[in-house]
């Protein structure tokens, strides 16, 4: 489920602006959080209030989002907000648990300072950590021996998140979000514009078994990455290792991470290869084939996979008035072992002949449009 989009001006549904102290805290969250927290609805607790003072935030959790309402009081903006959690989380009472353990003074709410613009972000981080532990506890209570074993063996992995997925009021599945690769991906891509940390997770969804089975069903497995990472490495192209009968995640993860690391390092090397290929294009393709452009699509797996070429005519147009274009071409001579200059020269030689074929195709297509 996708979160709602941010509202640039943080406008409320009633048009009233957020109370200044509240707006400062919320803006700090949106600019400084290392998670993609989004703002949903903003509204006022008073019908004709001068300021809006409450809002919904979409908080990333377990490769999805949970939606929490933060309720300030515009008449008393120095007071910490109340927080309303989702309808399925009635048992989540972090402040009650804090108080019962005698640790209430450790909460950021105990020393709330409305002038501290980081106060709301600190509260969100604190509540999210409690929520992660709450969901782990719920998952551990599921009456399924296999899942209890999975939880006991993988929950020690740093950063793992888990939750139960319910229907008709009862849990049917347990979903794990397992962070993969202990690598700083930003360092593999010099000059990358990424604002947030880039991550790859394994999503594993286990059905809850209501009866004993000697061969439990395999989980549904899927790789998930942060959106910005797709321009560097597409997890959709990764073939997952098979899940063997009787296997557990503690056995599955090392092989997966080893294979994934190799592919990520190759993708990093591909960036340099693509850059050198692009630099080699200019000297050769500075010699015009004709006045028609050639489009290059360089795949993430370059040079293992060759560029896809598309020719576009500057003189011939289709019935819609758009330039005629060739079908994508990738059946020309290619070897990933060639240096960039030879790659470009081979493509140029191929296109000298291909352009003549394309010009004939363009000329022949004109009468068909009349």
């Amino acid at each position: 489920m996708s979160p709602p989009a941010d509202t640039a001006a943080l406008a409320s549904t009633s048009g009233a602006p957020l109370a200044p102290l509240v707006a400062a805290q919320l803006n700090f969250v949106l600019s400084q959080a290392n998670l993609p927290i989004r703002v949903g609805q903003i509204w006022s607790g008073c019908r004709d209030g001068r300021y809006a003072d409450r809002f919904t935030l979409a908080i990333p959790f377990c490769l999805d989002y949970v939606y929490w309402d933060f309720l300030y009081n515009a008449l008393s903006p120095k007071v910490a907000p109340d927080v309303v959690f989702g309808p399925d989380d009635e048992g989540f009472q972090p402040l009650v648990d804090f108080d019962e353990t005698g640790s209430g003074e450790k909460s950021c709410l105990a020393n709330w300072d409305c002038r501290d613009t980081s106060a709301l972000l600190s509260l969100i981080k604190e509540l999210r950590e409690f929520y992660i532990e709450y969901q782990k506890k719920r998952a551990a209570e599921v009456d399924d021996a296999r899942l209890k074993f999975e939880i006991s063996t993988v929950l020690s992995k740093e950063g793992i998140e888990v939750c139960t997925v319910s229907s008709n009021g009862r849990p049917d599945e347990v979903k794990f979000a397992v962070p993969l690769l202990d690598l700083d991906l930003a360092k593999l891509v010099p000059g990358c514009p990424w604002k947030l940390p880039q991550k790859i997770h394994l999503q594993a969804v286990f059905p809850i078994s209501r009866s004993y089975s000697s061969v439990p069903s395999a989980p549904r497995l899927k790789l998930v990455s942060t959106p910005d990472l797709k321009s560097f490495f597409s997890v959709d192209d990764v073939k997952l290792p098979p899940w063997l009968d009787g296997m557990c995640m503690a056995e599955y993860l090392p092989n997966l991470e080893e294979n994934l690391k190799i592919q990520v390092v190759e993708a990093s090397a591909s960036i340099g290869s693509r850059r050198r290929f692009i630099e080699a294009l200019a000297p050769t393709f500075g010699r015009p084939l004709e006045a028609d452009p050639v489009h290059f699509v360089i795949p993430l797996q370059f040079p293992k996979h060759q560029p896809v070429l598309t020719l576009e005519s500057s003189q011939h147009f289709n019935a819609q008035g758009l330039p005629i274009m060739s079908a994508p071409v990738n059946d020309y001579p290619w070897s990933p072992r060639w240096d960039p200059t030879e790659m470009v020269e081979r493509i140029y030689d191929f296109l000298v002949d291909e352009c003549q074929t394309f010009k004939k195709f363009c000329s022949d297509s004109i009468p068909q449009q009349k």
Side-chain angles (χ1 to χ4, degrees):
M1 180 165 49
S2 299
D6 290 335
T7 354
L10 298 180
S12 70
T13 52
S14 64
L18 276 169
L21 289 174
V22 178
Q25 293 182 23
L26 182 54
N27 279 317
F28 186 89
V29 169
L30 298 180
S31 63
Q32 301 299 321
N34 62 357
L35 292 169
I37 297 172
R38 303 292 183 91
V39 184
Q41 183 183 15
I42 300 176
W43 72 100
S44 173
C46 301
R47 176 173 296 180
D48 299 314
R50 179 183 176 186
Y51 292 114
D53 54 4
R54 46 202 63 192
F55 45 83
T56 301
L57 292 183
I59 313 292
F61 170 71
C62 209
L63 303 179
D64 205 332
Y65 287 81
V66 291
Y67 296 85
W68 296 345
D69 294 337
F70 290 78
L71 312 180
Y72 286 82
N73 185 340
L75 300 178
S76 303
K78 296 182 179 180
V79 178
D82 291 326
V83 185
V84 179
F85 305 108
D88 296 329
D89 293 319
E90 293 181 357
F92 181 48
Q93 299 177 331
L95 300 184
V96 172
D97 294 341
F98 231 167
D99 188 55
E100 289 178 351
T101 59
S103 304
E105 72 281 356
K106 296 180 181 178
S107 171
C108 65
L109 290 174
N111 300 293
W112 184 264
D113 181 357
C114 65
R115 295 165 298 181
D116 180 2
T117 55
S118 67
L120 176 59
L121 181 56
S122 297
L123 176 60
I124 292 171
K125 289 180 177 178
E126 181 178 293
L127 293 177
R128 188 176 179 277
E129 287 300 318
F130 286 140
Y131 190 73
I132 290 172
E133 294 306 314
Y134 162 74
Q135 286 289 356
K136 287 180 179 179
K137 183 178 178 181
R138 286 188 64 185
E141 293 171 350
V142 169
D143 187 17
D144 184 319
R146 176 217 195 170
L147 279 170
K148 287 183 180 293
F149 176 77
E150 291 285 1
I151 291 169
S152 68
T153 55
V154 301
L155 280 193
S156 59
K157 185 177 177 65
E158 183 177 356
I160 194 170
E161 296 177 7
V162 60
C163 67
T164 56
V165 181
S166 302
S167 64
N168 299 322
R170 63 185 298 187
D172 288 329
E173 297 175 326
V174 172
K175 179 170 72 172
F176 293 81
V178 185
L180 303 174
L181 301 182
D182 186 19
L183 294 174
D184 185 347
L185 296 176
K187 291 184 178 179
L188 293 177
V189 189
C192 66
W194 299 332
K195 174 188 173 184
L196 299 175
Q198 301 302 304
K199 302 287 185 182
I200 300 176
H201 286 81
L202 174 68
Q203 177 180 280
V205 181
F206 288 82
I208 296 176
S209 177
R210 305 296 178 190
S211 58
Y212 172 77
S213 173
S214 58
V215 183
S217 301
R220 301 196 307 274
L221 302 174
K222 179 182 178 181
L223 287 180
V224 180
S225 72
T226 41
D228 290 343
L229 193 61
K230 293 181 180 179
S231 62
F232 159 64
F233 180 75
S234 175
V235 295
D236 296 335
D237 297 329
V238 176
K239 184 178 180 180
L240 291 172
W243 182 280
L244 305 178
D245 289 346
M247 181 174 273
C248 66
M249 275 203 292
E251 296 172 303
Y252 185 80
L253 290 175
N255 185 33
L256 170 62
E257 290 198 280
E258 181 180 353
N259 292 338
L260 189 60
K261 184 175 181 179
I262 291 172
Q263 294 182 58
V264 167
V265 171
E266 287 179 351
S268 175
S270 174
I271 293 176
S273 299
R274 279 180 279 167
R275 182 182 296 114
R276 290 188 292 273
F277 176 78
I278 292 170
E279 291 169 349
L281 285 172
T284 300
F285 279 80
R287 298 173 283 166
L289 297 164
E290 59 167 343
D292 296 341
V294 179
H295 300 271
F296 288 77
V297 177
I298 306 176
L300 295 178
Q301 297 82 10
F302 181 90
K304 184 184 297 183
H305 295 173
Q306 65 205 86
V308 178
L309 314 178
T310 305
L311 282 69
E312 175 185 331
S313 177
S314 60
Q315 304 172 2
H316 305 86
F317 302 87
N318 60 20
Q320 289 75 40
L322 301 174
I324 295 177
M325 302 187 72
S326 73
V329 179
N330 65 350
D331 57 350
Y332 53 87
W334 181 261
S335 171
R337 294 181 294 276
W338 293 338
D339 63 51
T341 301
E342 183 172 0
M343 291 175 179
V344 171
E345 290 287 354
R346 294 290 191 107
I347 292 175
Y348 183 88
D349 293 342
F350 167 80
L351 287 177
V352 168
D353 295 330
E354 186 68 17
C355 278
Q356 298 304 315
T357 303
F358 178 59
K359 290 175 71 174
K360 184 177 185 304
F361 166 77
C362 293
S363 299
D364 292 346
S365 66
I366 299 299
Q368 300 173 10
Q369 299 172 8
K370 295 180 179 179

